Amino acid sequence: MGATGATGGATLQSLAALGVPARALSRDPHRLTAALDHRTRALVEPVTADAADPDSLRAAFRGARQLFLTMANGPQQVEHELRAVDLAVASGVEHIVKISAPAAEPDSPVAVSRGHHRVEQHLRATGITATVLRPYAFMQKLLLLAPGVTAAGTILGAMGTAPCNYIDCRDIGDVAASVLTRPEQAGGTYELTGGRAYSHPELAALLGSLLGRPVRSVDLPPAQLHAHLVQRAGMPDWLAAHVVEIQRLAVDRPERPDDAAARLVGRAPRTLEAFLREHLDRFH
Ligand SMILES: NC(=O)c1ccc[n+]([C@@H]2O[C@H](COP(=O)([O-])OP(=O)(O)OC[C@H]3O[C@@H](n4cnc5c(N)ncnc54)[C@H](OP(=O)(O)O)[C@@H]3O)[C@@H](O)[C@H]2O)c1
């Protein structure tokens, strides 16, 4: 699932690199196939499916043995994921790999993480093999900072100097492909991070050194960041609230790298510096 998205797309490519065929679900399979490279397209069976439409999920899951489950954040996310779990189990799927998030706990300060906790609990209660991947902040989302860097040389946040784990989605895809193809890795709960955590000032310094001009980290009170995200960046209110919540979580619980990703794929994760170098043109 989520084959057109950040983690699902990466997982599909990682599976293709291993030569593993997969069925890829999307509400719009034309958009899906257009986004695939030649090698991946040859191994992928695109299927139209919408988590809001149980019949489409039943048809998509028919004959499948494993499910990679991820879903865009949004008001319907938990309902859609619970439905996907139930229908997958009913159709005989034996292993589900779920993308969750840090602090997936019943009393988590992050609403999205409370939702992930509900789905994780439900998934474990089915009794099938369940692997939970809890990635930290995706490096790919740092590209959202590019307009502020190009226009004003600033990175806005509400995290102070809190260290924040970033992970490249391609490493999440490699981990997912690994647990889907190596039964000995299935069944765990894994926290996925890059090799080192960066605070916003450290991120600004790194980006500035790569660009050859100063980049400043500007720390705002949480309410001000929320207002900026809604009024200037055009985010829906719930998404702005989510961004502020995860930044406050990083302040309250200083993040430290975890070696799970490296252990599962047998190599060091991609670095933030390599990611920024690869996408530097976006920040010029
Ligand atoms: N962003 C981060 O830094 C971060 C960090 C940790 C955890 N996470 C978690 O990662 C998850 C998001 O993963 P992602 O970034 O890979 O997602 P994404 O890029 O936002 O993609 C979401 C996918 O959800 C699919 N989708 C949306 N509505 C659907 C529906 N009704 N039926 C079927 N599919 C639907 C979309 O497919 P179509 O549009 O093709 O149908 C799309 O491919 C979230 O649960 C989030 O909490 C994110």
Side-chain angles (χ1 to χ4, degrees):
M1 296 189 76
T4 56
T7 59
T11 301
L12 213 50
Q13 287 188 8
S14 300
L15 287 171
L18 297 173
V20 177
R23 192 175 290 164
L25 280 57
S26 171
R27 289 165 298 174
D28 179 1
H30 298 299
R31 190 160 58 89
L32 168 65
T33 34
L36 297 179
D37 59 43
H38 189 68
R39 176 190 62 185
T40 311
R41 199 174 302 166
L43 286 161
V44 165
E45 179 193 349
V47 177
T48 308
D50 184 338
D53 171 6
D55 286 341
S56 72
L57 285 188
R58 275 188 204 96
F61 294 158
R62 201 164 292 138
R65 289 188 301 111
Q66 304 192 82
L67 171 67
F68 173 83
L69 171 61
T70 191
M71 187 65 62
N73 289 141
Q76 243 90 61
Q77 179 176 9
V78 172
E79 179 195 335
H80 285 171
E81 291 200 23
L82 294 176
R83 175 178 297 140
V85 168
D86 288 342
L87 294 177
V89 172
S91 75
V93 164
E94 295 157 3
H95 177 207
I96 295 180
V97 178
K98 170 178 160 48
I99 294 291
S100 181
E105 304 151 3
D107 302 320
S108 179
V110 179
V112 166
S113 294
R114 293 196 294 276
H116 280 303
H117 172 76
R118 274 186 64 198
V119 180
E120 284 189 17
Q121 293 292 102
H122 188 75
L123 182 54
R124 293 266 175 239
T126 64
I128 67 161
T129 307
T131 305
V132 172
L133 304 181
R134 292 181 182 160
Y136 280 70
F138 300 170
M139 289 183 192
Q140 278 71 7
K141 299 289 177 191
L142 291 174
L143 299 177
L144 295 172
L145 298 174
V149 173
T150 49
T154 54
I155 291 175
L156 297 186
M159 277 196 292
T161 57
C164 183
N165 284 322
Y166 295 102
I167 180 161
D168 191 314
C169 284
R170 291 168 293 188
D171 286 329
I172 302 172
D174 286 347
V175 167
S178 184
V179 298
L180 285 163
T181 53
R182 296 160 82 178
E184 70 276 15
Q185 292 182 348
T189 295
Y190 302 111
E191 308 270 331
L192 304 182
T193 75
R196 68 158 280 196
Y198 286 80
S199 66
H200 264 184
E202 288 170 330
L203 169 65
L206 174 60
L207 196 49
S209 75
L210 296 175
L211 289 167
R213 61 184 163 82
V215 176
R216 279 184 315 125
S217 156
V218 177
D219 207 47
L220 301 175
Q224 213 174 316
L225 178 64
H226 183 281
H228 169 86
L229 294 173
V230 172
Q231 289 157 20
R232 295 287 189 82
M235 276 188 190
D237 192 68
W238 66 264
L239 185 55
H242 175 57
V243 171
V244 172
E245 281 176 2
I246 52 179
Q247 296 212 5
R248 298 317 294 168
L249 179 71
V251 172
D252 292 342
R253 303 186 194 180
E255 297 181 1
R256 281 198 314 269
D258 191 295
D259 67 353
R263 278 189 286 112
L264 291 165
V265 299
R267 59 160 178 80
R270 292 165 173 86
T271 66
L272 182 62
E273 179 171 342
F275 176 84
L276 293 175
R277 280 186 191 282
E278 201 179 335
H279 297 92
L280 211 52
D281 56 326
R282 301 280 293 273
F283 294 93
H284 271 301

